[in-house]
Amino acid sequence: MSPVSSGPLRKRAGVLLLIGALALVMPVHAQDTLKVLFIGNSMTYVEDLPALLTNLASSNGKTVITAQRTPGGYFLADHVEDPLSLSLMAQGFDYIVVQEQSSGNMQPALPSPDITRPIEVIDSIAKAHCSKLLLYATPGYPETHPWSNETYEDMQAYIIYNYSLTAQSVRAACLPTAHAFRDVIRNHPGMSGMWASPTDHHPGIKGQYLHACVMYSVLYKESAVGSPAPSGMNESDASLLQQTAWNFANDSALQLGYHFIDTLVTGFQRTIAGSNVLFVDTSSSFIDRIEWDFGDQSGITVSEPVLFQEFGAIEHSYPDTGCFWLKRRLYWGTCENAMDSALICLQPTSVPDAMGLNPVQLHPNPTSGVIHIRSSDKTSSSIVITDLGGRVVMGENILDRFTTLDISFLPRGVYLVEIRNSVGRFHAKVIKE
């Protein structure tokens, strides 16, 4: 069992403990099996957070194999100089749960190449071995603790801020453990066991079980409500902690950093102004490289995260109007990649009438649903349909002289149609009945 202490943090020469270490070299095939490494100190090993998570998962038919390197009093700076910590982090865990000293000492990565903070070292090791970082934000001190020189609320807010900022700096996931802990302290002041004692800042059995429930809910995207209470805790208190954990794990305001940790969720916004388009990436965490193919044969543009790992905006000038297929490939290190795409349709600011250059037949007009289009030109064409306000409502590429468009989904009204190919442009009005 893990060493348990309710006293002050132990000195850095703490004891190493591995849980299930032998299983790390065994192949893992079960869909619900995860390998999780805990890097921290006594804020993790007190009440044995890894074992609480393992037991909670097991009670729900899942397997979490854990290991921990949590000597008392360790800072992350100690871990990145510790050969054993470095070796463990390089073993290819699914997730590495990272916890800094308890008083809010977590520090984000910096853009300066001359300053490398511990989280950057840990992040680089994780990415090299396809492990994802989860930051376990610890509770603040109880105000009855002899070291406390501020309110619990102030200290907890500071810890949450530092962990959130650090997670952003390396596109890691900041677990809402401290959010859930604060909620119980605020709304259930009679709940004992959140801290080890009124004069001890370590989590007590209920505080640590709450943290395990948050981790379980995030890892498996399901509630722990209904799980059996751990030894020494009544079902009522366990149920309250399980529900609180789910409330915060399922909070849409907090999900961006962790809700899709098991997959790459892509997305972007665009703003079109003439032939210029401003793209803003909205992908989830664990994406650190994007390759853009704007669809106009301009080649591949690569974007990588800047300060605090936001990709920011990319502006692209298209050579002409028309419709272009934008394709993106998104990467998380060399471990995972995903693709997304969209049709980008640009309208001309002024359009010459090209009816004589490219005769096009368009019928029926008015129409209640479909438009049949016939062009005398054999080259591919693009079609853009806009409403009278100039908003693009449909765009499509045509590879044949004959095509049929279904506009039954559009409201009744008058729409402008532009058909463009290598010869010229054709414009018409279509009435949707």
Side-chain angles (χ1 to χ4, degrees):
M1 294 183 62
S2 298
V4 177
S5 169
S6 61
L9 292 176
R10 296 170 53 180
K11 294 183 179 180
R12 296 184 184 180
V15 178
L16 166 71
L17 180 76
L18 299 182
I19 298 177
L22 293 178
L24 298 180
V25 297
M26 298 172 60
V28 178
H29 302 291
Q31 183 177 359
D32 290 327
T33 298
L34 296 173
K35 296 188 295 180
V36 181
L37 171 65
F38 288 79
I39 294 293
N41 54 42
S42 58
M43 295 298 285
T44 292
Y45 77 62
V46 164
E47 297 297 350
D48 207 343
L49 175 57
L52 288 171
L53 175 61
T54 295
N55 294 337
L56 178 59
S58 178
S59 70
N60 288 281
K62 300 173 177 62
T63 301
V64 176
I65 300 170
T66 64
Q68 61 173 304
R69 176 67 170 142
T70 54
Y74 251 43
F75 289 78
L76 292 184
D78 298 310
H79 283 290
V80 298
E81 296 178 354
D82 184 331
L84 191 47
S85 297
L86 295 172
S87 174
L88 283 170
M89 288 188 283
Q91 291 194 21
F93 288 83
D94 296 305
Y95 300 98
I96 300 177
V97 178
V98 178
Q99 169 254 310
E100 180 59 284
Q101 266 281 10
S102 56
S103 54
N105 294 296
M106 180 67 83
Q107 293 182 312
L110 293 176
S112 171
D114 299 324
I115 302 175
T116 301
R117 286 181 164 167
I119 194 65
E120 295 177 77
V121 177
I122 295 173
D123 177 63
S124 65
I125 296 172
K127 283 187 173 70
H129 296 87
C130 298
S131 301
K132 295 180 178 178
L133 293 188
L134 309 180
L135 272 57
Y136 155 41
T138 56
Y141 293 177
E143 292 172 24
T144 50
H145 192 283
W147 298 349
S148 180
N149 55 11
E150 59 186 331
T151 66
Y152 160 74
E153 287 279 352
D154 286 346
M155 184 176 184
Q156 192 68 89
Y158 180 65
I159 290 174
I160 290 173
Y161 173 78
N162 278 0
Y163 273 81
S164 299
L165 200 62
T166 302
Q168 292 176 29
S169 75
V170 291
R171 283 184 82 88
C174 182
L175 300 172
T177 46
H179 296 79
F181 193 99
R182 180 172 60 184
D183 184 80
V184 174
I185 298 302
R186 284 176 175 174
N187 299 312
H188 305 280
M191 175 77 74
S192 61
M194 293 300 290
W195 285 286
S197 78
T199 58
D200 190 340
H201 58 277
H202 293 92
I205 180 59
K206 292 178 184 176
Q208 206 70 297
Y209 180 68
L210 173 65
H211 298 153
C213 290
V214 170
M215 292 179 185
Y216 174 85
S217 297
V218 169
L219 289 172
Y220 290 105
K221 288 188 284 191
E222 69 178 39
S223 171
V225 172
S227 304
S231 177
M233 189 182 307
N234 63 55
E235 294 289 342
S236 176
D237 287 348
S239 178
L240 186 150
L241 297 173
Q242 293 161 2
Q243 185 62 58
T244 300
W246 178 242
N247 291 344
F248 282 89
N250 201 40
D251 185 346
S252 60
L254 300 172
Q255 285 178 2
L256 180 62
Y258 62 80
H259 191 61
F260 298 103
I261 59 177
D262 59 341
T263 187
L264 303 187
V265 179
T266 69
F268 61 91
Q269 300 172 340
R270 70 256 198 184
T271 302
I272 301 175
S275 61
N276 294 322
V277 184
L278 181 69
F279 297 96
V280 179
D281 181 72
T282 58
S283 305
S284 65
S285 292
F286 303 110
I287 294 173
D288 57 9
R289 175 184 168 91
I290 302 176
E291 295 177 353
W292 301 75
D293 178 353
F294 296 103
D296 58 358
Q297 298 184 336
S298 61
I300 302 295
T301 298
V302 176
S303 63
E304 295 179 338
V306 292
L307 181 61
F308 297 119
Q309 309 301 292
E310 298 298 334
F311 284 93
I314 286 185
E315 187 170 5
H316 184 72
S317 295
Y318 282 89
D320 215 332
T321 57
C323 289
F324 305 87
W325 276 109
L326 168 72
K327 298 178 182 179
R328 305 192 312 159
R329 185 172 291 276
L330 303 95
Y331 297 86
W332 176 63
T334 59
C335 307
E336 298 178 30
N337 66 82
M339 291 190 68
D340 61 11
S341 60
L343 185 66
I344 308 298
C345 291
L346 311 178
Q347 300 178 67
T349 54
S350 62
V351 181
D353 187 357
M355 177 70 78
L357 295 174
N358 183 26
V360 174
Q361 296 178 3
L362 186 153
H363 66 91
N365 190 12
T367 179
S368 60
V370 298
I371 305 173
H372 301 290
I373 299 172
R374 180 180 183 276
S375 171
S376 62
D377 190 81
K378 296 181 180 180
T379 61
S380 62
S381 305
S382 65
I383 298 178
V384 178
I385 302 178
T386 63
D387 59 23
L388 293 181
R391 183 174 64 92
V392 176
V393 296
M394 188 174 183
E396 188 163 322
N397 288 330
I398 304 174
L399 302 178
D400 202 328
R401 292 170 58 189
F402 304 93
T403 192
T404 298
L405 296 182
D406 183 359
I407 63 169
S408 59
F409 66 95
L410 295 176
R412 294 179 179 178
V414 178
Y415 295 89
L416 304 178
V417 178
E418 178 192 76
I419 303 173
R420 182 173 185 273
N421 58 26
S422 61
V423 177
R425 301 170 185 167
F426 167 78
H427 295 86
K429 289 183 179 179
V430 173
I431 299 174
K432 167 66 185 345
E433 295 181 330

